[in-house]
Amino acid sequence: MLEDWAIVELFWKRSEEALRETSRKYGAYCRTIIRNLLGNRREDVEECENDTLLSAWNAMPSDRPPRLSPLLGRVARNLALGRVVYYPAPKRTCPGPYLLAGLSGCPAG
């Protein structure tokens, strides 16, 4: 496994190897953070993990962090918290009154 400074260098070189190495070294760490917030929704955990890698790719700080775990942990946590807020929104839980509200102007029969 590569050291963090070497992975950061790969990010700065825009090498896709940076994503593979980051996933290999910190994938379980990010998945644990995400799973603790989202539960065992496998697809959501995978999507947040991928979004974490993409965010790291797009926003690698210019000061070249000596350790990646705080950066990746923060990004993973924020993405998972965004999903926690997204899911319980009233129109996505879809109770009966919301389903029927849109039909109020329709003719019967």
Side-chain angles (χ1 to χ4, degrees):
M1 244 183 268
L2 290 178
E3 295 294 323
D4 285 0
W5 65 268
I7 296 172
V8 170
E9 286 301 317
L10 290 172
F11 272 110
W12 276 94
K13 291 178 182 176
R14 294 310 221 190
S15 170
E16 289 183 22
E17 184 67 21
L19 299 175
R20 285 188 288 278
E21 290 297 326
T22 303
S23 182
R24 186 176 300 134
K25 188 169 184 178
Y26 291 108
Y29 171 69
C30 291
R31 282 189 301 274
T32 299
I33 292 170
I34 296 164
R35 199 175 295 118
N36 285 339
L37 292 167
L38 294 180
N40 284 330
R41 296 190 293 232
R42 188 178 58 82
E43 294 85 10
D44 293 330
V45 172
E46 287 177 10
E47 189 171 341
C48 278
E49 182 185 3
N50 290 335
D51 289 346
T52 299
L53 293 173
L54 178 64
S55 294
W57 178 268
N58 290 331
M60 184 56 62
S62 59
D63 60 353
R64 297 183 187 217
R67 292 179 36 225
L68 285 173
S69 59
L71 172 70
L72 296 171
R74 186 186 69 220
V75 171
R77 184 192 72 229
N78 289 339
L79 289 169
L81 285 173
R83 294 237 175 206
V84 168
V85 170
Y86 175 81
Y87 278 115
K91 290 192 177 183
R92 283 192 259 328
T93 55
C94 229
Y98 287 111
L99 289 173
L100 300 176
L103 298 175
S104 61
C106 293

